[in-house]
Structures are given as structure tokens and as C-alpha cells.
Amino acid sequence: MDAVVQPLSLASPSPRVTVRLAEVISALTYALDLTEGQRPGHTLRTTLIAMRLSEDLGLDSESRAALYYASLLKDSGCSSNAARMSALFGSDDQALKRSMRLVDWHDRWRLAMRTAKSCGIGLDPISRIKHFLQVARTPSLTREIIQTRCERGAQIATVLGFPSATGEAILHVDEHWCGLGHPVGLAGNEIPLLSRVLLLAQTFEAYWIEHGLRAATEMARARRGTWFDPALVDRVLAWHTDKTWWDKLTDMVHLEEQVVALEPGMTPMVATPERLDRIAFAFAAVIDAKTPYTARHSTNVARYAVSIMGEIGADAQTYRDVLRAGLLHDIGKLGVSNRILDKPAKLTDDEFREVRKHPTWTLEILRHVQAFEHFADAAAQHHERLDGRGYPFRLGGEQIGTMARVLAVADVYEALTANRPYREGLAVPKVVDIMSRDRGTAFDPHVLDAAVALAENGILAELAEVTENGFEELQRRGAPAPVVLLSNAA
């Protein structure tokens, strides 16, 4: 029997508040910590260390602003190498990244030992040896992995409209003072100062949070003149006795508040609607870069959801909210290992349980962002069903709002029609047949009917392929008016 289907409610819950850009990006850094395998608050603590260094150095306000946002966005490219690392090492990418960040690459013996311990965790000895040999035989592996991450992070900073110095700092964050870093191999003062600051700040934080202040201090002293600019190390070592300041970095309750308060400039940057859209698109790119299996999933779900909402009818803010919710609905997948996401075989029950955690992480992350919290529930409910058999919250009927119902349909439609390495995307008639079997049980009939009409008219297929210049033509051919919001996704 069909589940009870409640009438659609299209009122927008979106608040009309002014939000600082620093607040939005600071809150979203927890997602970056998740995919980079770092402890919660890693990026924020790195930013505090970097900004104190900038004060000690007497940097001008322009340089401090560039460093501030470089610190917050330094790991925005980290998802782009997750699949590659997990496949080569045969291990969870998050744990692998956290472990490898602590090793000194210049010490070949220690690097080899750490690599051996990190390969094929949980696998049989023969498989572990095979993965180790695979890593050892891959030329320039470290450079390749770092270059992918740094170039992607710098690109995202540019897309978000930050100054070139911000992107440059991210691009060269893993260059070492001695010239043996990556991706270019710059040395000494050839390395941008902001990159030198950022490398020391993030490495010191990683050691400090894992092993304590003494171990971090010893690490900085040992790598002085090899990894790090000696003058910067001397400044950080001088803080060793400032216990009050280090204690502030452990205050998770006020960590974001501390970071936001340090935003350089007399007038804080405001998160305008256009900037919020760019942030949503940028983080959708971070999400989709996590695995090659879903290269455009978030963008397409957002496009389909806006188009479906256009068929149903809603106000302008609701269109914008469903766009952002679609772009960010899978942000929780940044916490799922690529060892699971990219597995070619059937998942075990334990692996399914891990995958099914991602909507909960989506909810936690988006609730943390003031500008996005009003659609956090809807974004996190994209795997719920009207009959209560969805996950992870087991909601049903009227407990599931309109936006979540739209996202649920858009998400499944995209997954079925998109090409995957293991199969071609299904044809529209086949997808319609499959989804229609769950009409009224999994999917809201009104939403599904709207999606089917768009699919059969070819609108959804064109949305997945259209470039920015093609949106006007698409609207002339019958696409709903709010599709103009999607031009930024081209």
C-alpha cells in the first residue's frame, strides 16, 4: 500500500540575516578536516597559528587577509587525491593522510617504514606487500599527489574570488626550505612567505594535537632549515611558555569565534547571496572530486532539483535554497573512506553502515553554517522514503518536507542516468519504469510526476550537459524559469 502523501508545502523557511563570509568558510572547514583525516578543528587551529605568526612578522593587512583565507581553504583540494591514495595504498584515505602528514619525507628509512605500516591495513600479508610494492614502484608519487591537491585548492580559492596571493600560498604550501618539497621544488626565499608560514602552522598543529606541545616543538626544531624557514621556527618556539594561548586552541566551543574575530580588515566581508552560491558550487566540486564514480553528481542533482521545483512552483528564495541544498547534500560523504566508495564489489553490512552515516554528517556540517542551517534537515533527508523505510533517520510521510522529497527524486534519477565505470547510464524509459515502482512509497507522486515530465521532454538530460551559454536556449524550449540560477554550474 502507498504511504500517506501529505500536500506539498512550498513556503520558504530561509532567514533574512547578514552573515560574515569568514563565519561561513570557518564552519565549513570541519568538512575539509573530515576528508583530510585531521582532528576536528585542525584548519581553525592552523589559522590561529598562522595569524599569530603574521602578527609577529608585521605583515600588512593585504598579506594578512590573503594568509587568513589561504589558511581556511588550504585543504579545499584534498578530496581530489583521495581515490588515488586509497587505491594505491589499499587503506582508508583519511587515516592514511593523517598518518603520512606526521612523517618526515626526507628521512627515507622512516618514510619507508611508515609507508609499509600504512599499506593494506586490514588485508592479508600478501596483499599488504603487493600494495607496498605498488607504491614503491610508482615514480614521483608524492609529487603527483601533492600537486593534484595544491593545484585544485588554489583553483578553488581563485573561483571564490580571493586574491592571487591566497591561491599562491595554497599552491606552494608543501614546498620545503631546503628545496626538496613539492610540487615545484622551490627553496629558501623562492618560496612565497605565506606558504612558508602555512606549512609550519599546519604541520605544527598536526603534531601538537596528536603528541602534545613538547613533541611539536621538537619536530619544528628538528626540521628547522630543512622543511621550515629557520626564522619562522624561532618565532614559534618563542611561544613555548605561553600556556594561556595554547590552552585557547583546545577550546572547541569558542574556536570558530576566535578565528572569525581575527578576520583582517576594518570591514568584514559579507556572505552575499552570490558569494554563498559560489561557496556552494565550490564545495560541490570538493565533494564530487572525492570519487571518480560521481564526478558531476552534486551539480546535476542541484540542477535537476531546481528544475523539478520550477515545475511545482515556489518563491525565489526556495529555488535558491534547493539549489544550495542539492549542491551540498552529499557533503557528509567526505567522511566516508574511498576504500568503501570506490569498492568494485558488493559492500559488506559494516561498509553499508559506514556509507549510511553520510546524511548524518551532512546534517551536522550544514547545521554548523548559519547561512545553510535552515535547509540542513532537507539536505540530510535525501535518502528518506515516504513509507519510513529510508535512512538514516527512518522518517516518513509528513515528517519529510517538500525540499527533501525533491532532492530524493533528483538524487536517484541522477544516480540511475549517470555513466559509471561499471555501467552505462540507464535510458530515460528504463529509469522512469524503475522509479515509478516506488511512486507513493519512496517518492512523492507530485514530485516524481514533475521529474518524469522533465525527463521525457529531454530537459533533465540537457541540464546535465548544457553550458552557460545554453541556458537561455533551454528556457526558450520550455525549461522552468528558475533554471537561470544554474548558470554558475556550467
Side-chain angles (χ1 to χ4, degrees), residues 32-198:
L32 301 180
D33 294 342
L34 200 62
T35 193
E36 189 64 4
Q38 295 300 312
R39 306 299 182 188
H42 160 75
T43 302
L44 298 179
R45 288 186 293 270
T46 294
T47 302
L48 292 174
I49 295 171
M51 296 312 292
R52 179 165 181 179
L53 266 171
S54 75
E55 292 177 8
D56 282 6
L57 294 170
L59 298 186
D60 58 48
S61 59
E62 185 176 328
S63 297
R64 292 181 68 244
L67 176 62
Y68 181 78
Y69 282 103
S71 300
L72 292 175
L73 294 168
K74 70 184 184 66
D75 288 328
S76 56
C78 58
S79 64
S80 59
N81 60 23
R84 173 79 165 142
M85 291 184 69
S86 183
L88 276 173
F89 283 80
S91 297
D92 293 341
D93 46 298
Q94 292 99 334
L96 175 63
K97 288 183 176 185
R98 183 169 62 249
S99 175
M100 297 305 288
R101 178 163 282 191
L102 298 175
V103 69
D104 186 350
W105 314 337
H106 302 167
D107 188 328
R108 297 300 180 184
W109 174 252
R110 289 183 183 274
L111 177 60
M113 291 299 98
R114 181 64 61 92
T115 300
K117 290 180 180 179
S118 300
C119 284
I121 295 176
L123 302 180
D124 61 88
I126 298 299
S127 296
R128 297 195 69 175
I129 292 172
K130 286 181 178 178
H131 276 288
F132 176 75
L133 293 176
Q134 185 178 3
V135 171
R137 291 169 179 167
T138 302
S140 305
L141 174 60
T142 303
R143 183 181 299 276
E144 173 197 335
I145 287 174
I146 289 175
Q147 184 170 8
T148 299
R149 174 173 61 82
C150 291
E151 288 182 350
R152 184 61 175 156
Q155 181 184 22
I156 288 172
T158 300
V159 167
L160 290 177
F162 292 110
S164 59
T166 295
E168 183 183 59
I170 296 171
L171 180 62
H172 296 293
V173 67
D174 282 305
E175 302 288 357
H176 291 179
W177 184 258
C178 64
L180 297 178
H182 303 294
V184 180
L186 301 179
N189 289 323
E190 294 176 335
I191 306 169
L193 176 58
L194 303 189
S195 299
R196 285 180 262 154
V197 170
L198 199 48

Side-chain angles (χ1 to χ4, degrees), residues 93-370:
D93 46 298
Q94 292 99 334
L96 175 63
K97 288 183 176 185
R98 183 169 62 249
S99 175
M100 297 305 288
R101 178 163 282 191
L102 298 175
V103 69
D104 186 350
W105 314 337
H106 302 167
D107 188 328
R108 297 300 180 184
W109 174 252
R110 289 183 183 274
L111 177 60
M113 291 299 98
R114 181 64 61 92
T115 300
K117 290 180 180 179
S118 300
C119 284
I121 295 176
L123 302 180
D124 61 88
I126 298 299
S127 296
R128 297 195 69 175
I129 292 172
K130 286 181 178 178
H131 276 288
F132 176 75
L133 293 176
Q134 185 178 3
V135 171
R137 291 169 179 167
T138 302
S140 305
L141 174 60
T142 303
R143 183 181 299 276
E144 173 197 335
I145 287 174
I146 289 175
Q147 184 170 8
T148 299
R149 174 173 61 82
C150 291
E151 288 182 350
R152 184 61 175 156
Q155 181 184 22
I156 288 172
T158 300
V159 167
L160 290 177
F162 292 110
S164 59
T166 295
E168 183 183 59
I170 296 171
L171 180 62
H172 296 293
V173 67
D174 282 305
E175 302 288 357
H176 291 179
W177 184 258
C178 64
L180 297 178
H182 303 294
V184 180
L186 301 179
N189 289 323
E190 294 176 335
I191 306 169
L193 176 58
L194 303 189
S195 299
R196 285 180 262 154
V197 170
L198 199 48
L199 174 64
L200 177 56
Q202 70 172 10
T203 311
F204 198 96
E205 191 285 335
Y207 262 82
W208 171 71
I209 203 67
E210 292 290 338
H211 302 301
L213 184 57
R214 177 178 294 180
T217 300
E218 291 174 355
M219 177 278 301
R221 189 175 286 118
R223 300 187 192 181
R224 181 184 184 277
T226 53
W227 278 49
F228 309 128
D229 181 338
L232 298 183
V233 171
D234 293 344
R235 290 182 181 277
V236 172
L237 295 182
W239 309 343
H240 181 72
T241 58
D242 193 350
K243 186 176 183 302
T244 301
W245 189 81
W246 289 108
D247 285 345
K248 284 184 178 180
L249 268 64
T250 65
D251 183 1
M252 289 296 293
V253 174
H254 299 101
L255 196 57
E256 279 180 57
E257 182 182 322
Q258 293 181 62
V259 170
V260 172
L262 287 178
E263 181 187 12
M266 297 296 292
T267 305
M269 294 180 70
V270 175
T272 63
E274 293 74 24
R275 281 176 177 159
L276 289 174
D277 288 344
R278 285 201 298 270
I279 289 171
F281 280 117
F283 274 80
V286 173
I287 298 162
D288 289 348
K290 172 79 168 161
T291 169
Y293 287 13
T294 56
R296 296 183 61 185
H297 175 73
S298 299
T299 300
N300 283 345
V301 167
R303 289 179 166 191
Y304 299 161
V306 170
S307 189
I308 294 167
M309 191 65 81
E311 286 288 288
I312 296 171
D315 63 35
Q317 186 57 50
T318 299
Y319 291 133
R320 195 155 224 151
D321 287 343
V322 78
L323 168 68
R324 295 170 183 167
L327 290 167
L328 299 171
H329 75 283
D330 267 347
I331 197 168
K333 276 193 176 175
L334 293 175
V336 181
S337 169
N338 277 77
R339 197 175 184 180
I340 296 173
L341 293 178
D342 299 338
K343 184 177 178 180
K346 183 179 179 181
L347 299 184
T348 66
D349 289 344
D350 286 342
E351 289 168 339
F352 266 121
R353 277 191 285 272
E354 286 301 308
V355 170
R356 287 173 176 169
K357 290 177 181 178
H358 82 267
T360 303
W361 286 331
T362 290
L363 180 63
E364 292 176 359
I365 291 167
L366 295 183
R367 275 184 174 175
H368 212 61
V369 185
Q370 184 182 0

